[in-house]
Amino acid sequence: AKFSPENYRPVGWAENAPQPITTVPDGVLDFRTNRLPIGHADRRPWIYFLAASTGFIMASLVRTVACKLVHTMWPAKDVWAAGIVEVDLRPVREGQNFVVKWRSKPVFIRRRTPDMIEKAKKDDPLAPSMREPATDAERCKKPEWLIVIGVCTHLGCIPQPDAGNWGGYFCPCHGSHYDHAGRMRQGPAPKNLELPPYQFLDEFTVKLG
């Protein structure tokens, strides 16, 4: 039976049981006498060195993993290069709608005629009533040049230049009309044609991005 007396150890067995301190036979050197006790002061430098080395290695591993993760999310060099485009404006004729590619999007660069500028500025008093209010000066850094992203703000179609009720741009997909400043004037588009970040490096060079 489980609880029968022969299944129990005799009294005092634990105190008198053999307690070996090594598995090395007698007469064989095992360097036990060379080891310092656990609490000995001379063991501390080694413990400090081991702790510092482990901490340094772990910090290096964490840094390496973090850098790899950041670099995997970093844009490639060709993406950076495509994000900044310099355009020579000298070949653009007056009244021409020049198209360049920037970040996989078409960008309209229009060299406006004096008549286009006059019509755009003439409608400035109506700007507060527009869907996205903006004056001609707010849309064009230089009156002669209109630079907008050539994507309709409704569903992303490509508007046609020199078309529509205001003579600027017209999206044939759903009938959005834009004026000579790229402002939304009629149709379902919710906003004006988007302005890309740009700056003029000189009189006939513009940098997109």
Side-chain angles (χ1 to χ4, degrees):
K2 182 177 181 181
F3 297 104
S4 60
E6 61 269 14
N7 291 329
Y8 288 89
R9 292 172 179 171
V11 177
W13 181 89
E15 291 79 359
N16 298 307
Q19 298 179 3
I21 58 175
T22 181
T23 58
V24 179
D26 293 337
V28 178
L29 185 63
D30 62 355
F31 299 99
R32 281 179 296 165
T33 56
N34 297 46
R35 296 175 183 170
L36 296 174
I38 296 297
H40 198 281
D42 289 345
R43 288 175 60 94
R44 292 177 184 173
W46 166 248
I47 295 175
Y48 295 157
F49 172 76
L50 190 63
S53 301
T54 304
F56 176 78
I57 294 173
M58 293 303 297
S60 300
L61 290 175
V62 171
R63 175 186 175 276
T64 301
V65 172
C67 290
K68 290 293 184 182
L69 290 175
V70 172
H71 289 163
T72 56
M73 297 182 290
W74 206 261
K77 292 183 178 180
D78 57 342
V79 176
W80 278 112
I84 299 177
V85 177
E86 292 186 8
V87 183
D88 184 7
L89 302 177
R90 287 175 293 183
V92 183
R93 301 184 304 274
E94 191 176 73
Q96 180 184 359
N97 186 72
F98 189 70
V99 183
V100 298
K101 184 179 180 181
W102 175 72
R103 294 183 179 176
S104 301
K105 297 179 181 179
V107 174
F108 293 162
I109 300 179
R110 165 87 77 173
R111 188 172 187 176
R112 302 191 300 178
T113 63
D115 182 59
M116 293 177 179
I117 299 173
E118 182 182 356
K119 288 181 179 179
K121 291 184 176 181
K122 185 179 179 181
D123 289 341
D124 280 351
L126 303 176
S129 63
M130 296 180 185
R131 192 165 296 174
E132 186 180 7
T135 62
D136 183 72
E138 293 171 341
R139 302 279 300 169
C140 304
K141 294 182 179 181
K142 289 186 177 182
E144 184 182 6
W145 298 100
L146 171 67
I147 302 176
V148 295
I149 295 178
V151 176
C152 180
T153 56
H154 180 222
L155 290 178
C157 302
I158 307 298
Q160 296 178 353
D162 302 314
N165 296 340
W166 280 264
Y169 300 94
F170 173 69
C171 181
C173 299
H174 301 94
S176 296
H177 299 255
Y178 302 89
D179 62 12
H180 291 296
R183 295 175 293 197
M184 169 60 197
R185 302 302 297 271
Q186 182 182 345
K191 296 181 178 181
N192 303 329
L193 291 179
E194 185 181 352
L195 298 176
Y198 69 93
Q199 61 177 333
F200 286 93
L201 302 181
D202 54 45
E203 187 178 359
F204 290 108
T205 305
V206 65
K207 181 176 75 171
L208 302 175

